[in-house]
Amino acid sequence: MRPREFDHDEVLRIAFDQFWRNGVRGTSLSDIARDAGVQRGSLYNAFGSKEALFLQAYERYAGDYLLALQRALGTGSLRKRLTAFFDLTITNFRAGTPPRGCPTTRGLMELGAAEGEGLDEEARQAFAGLISRITALVQDNLAAGAARGEFDGNAAAAALHIITVTRGLAVLERAFGDEPQLRKIAAHTIDLVLGRKGGSA
Amino acid sequence: MRPREFDHDEVLRIAFDQFWRNGVRGTSLSDIARDAGVQRGSLYNAFGSKEALFLQAYERYAGDYLLALQRALGTGSLRKRLTAFFDLTITNFRAGTPPRGCPTTRGLMELGAAEGEGLDEEARQAFAGLISRITALVQDNLAAGAARGEFDGNAAAAALHIITVTRGLAVLERAFGDEPQLRKIAAHTIDLVLGRKGGSA
DNA sequence: GCATGTTCTTGACACGATGTCAAATACCTT
DNA sequence: AAGGTATTTGACATCGTGTCAAGAACATGC
């Protein structure tokens, strides 16, 4: 066995950064190869194809992101936790720097739309999987926090509504880039779920 | 002047259908040219570039779509109007047939993410423009209908919330394709805005 | 009716990107 | 030290975008 001459994980990070910045379409394997100091052929050997590379890079990000969300939802009052949660879905890690759009949402919408076409379907499941896990996370928090508000008692419906709003925010960010506006919508949604003064649990 | 040998508008329709089915990335000008019975070069001559063609095809669709929404919001009680509105954003014209994702949302998320890069920026404005117009439409309806519910009095905030949810639904459709679930979320959102029994206006 | 000009069409071309392959290479194992 | 195995490397095929010049078709003016 000849050992690899590059760091598998570092290439994934570099690749994901490129994909995130310029889109899957706008990123060529030559770009990534140059940035990573690796031959293009080696990327094909190690990852299979451009889409496969993107998927692996995405899964790496998804793991980190889910972890960050879990931590955001880990402490403080329910209202504080949800606020931190929305914050993270709005900033997507990179507070301050110009917005790049939610990778999950972008990935989902970039799919070919063809009827169950091989790798596209695999990608869809990856994106949908993260969303499912996040939904479950929020639902658990709401149930444990005994949220009142408009969805009184129905943590599942409340969580689904919250997730729907976060996905919508990801889209509106791309359309208008107006972060303060997004935060307003988020705050209002929290009010709906918790009741205007609830969430001390 | 030599006259064109093809129907400008029909080509736009064919192109949009292709783009919608297979994504911008998954559609080549050769595909469109074949389907439309036109030489590829003629497309470049008439529309400029692939992205320009997509944009023109999209604007054509956007006009039709906005009109349909206006009609949906034109009759019946406020609750009926909003129900019809959500229905149209969920089905996107093609009731029955397998979902293809909201063209506006897909287009928005497919953008390059680069900092204001020429045509991408123009595209963003096209997508954002439709969303703005739809938001205004909903807001007018809510204001005229004197919606109560959670957003009592604040038609702007209510409209923004509704739009956010519709964008979120477009994303969830791609993730799960579960139309009944989407309708539930929509119904719940209407309840939030109108109050559980309001909307007879 | 015919020449002229303007636009559309057509085919060839350049370029870049994806993906494949075989030969060369470097290391691990025995 | 030798052999095997996986990686690297460069060449190649293919496809898609976009450009260009030459040819073709029609409207207009004489």
Side-chain angles (χ1 to χ4, degrees), chain A residues 1-3 27-30 40 44 48-50:
Chain A
M1 285 243 307
R2 175 176 177 176
T27 303
S28 77
L29 285 201
S30 306
R40 206 169 52 88
Y44 278 99
S49 72
K50 179 179 172 178

Side-chain angles (χ1 to χ4, degrees), chain A residues 53-96:
Chain A
L53 168 57
F54 167 70
L55 220 62
Q56 293 175 56
Y58 171 77
E59 305 246 38
R60 203 197 159 284
Y61 152 86
D64 285 359
Y65 187 52
L66 189 63
L67 256 166
L69 288 177
Q70 282 172 330
R71 289 178 52 185
L73 284 168
T75 55
S77 69
L78 185 50
R79 181 176 294 271
K80 257 205 170 64
R81 275 181 273 163
L82 285 180
T83 304
F85 169 79
F86 268 105
D87 219 70
L88 207 47
T89 75
I90 288 175
T91 62
N92 267 306
F93 280 143
R94 27 127 293 277

Side-chain angles (χ1 to χ4, degrees), chain B residues 74-104:
Chain B
T75 54
S77 69
L78 185 50
R79 181 176 295 271
K80 257 205 172 62
R81 277 181 272 162
L82 286 180
T83 303
F85 169 78
F86 268 105
D87 218 70
L88 207 48
T89 74
I90 288 176
T91 62
N92 267 307
F93 279 142
R94 27 128 291 279
T97 76
R100 294 181 198 169
C102 165
T104 302

Side-chain angles (χ1 to χ4, degrees), chain B residues 24 26 30 35 38 45 48 58 78 130 145-146 153-155 157 185:
Chain B
V24 175
S30 306
D35 268 41
V38 172
N45 176 58
Y58 171 76
L78 185 50
L130 180 60
N154 195 343
I185 299 174

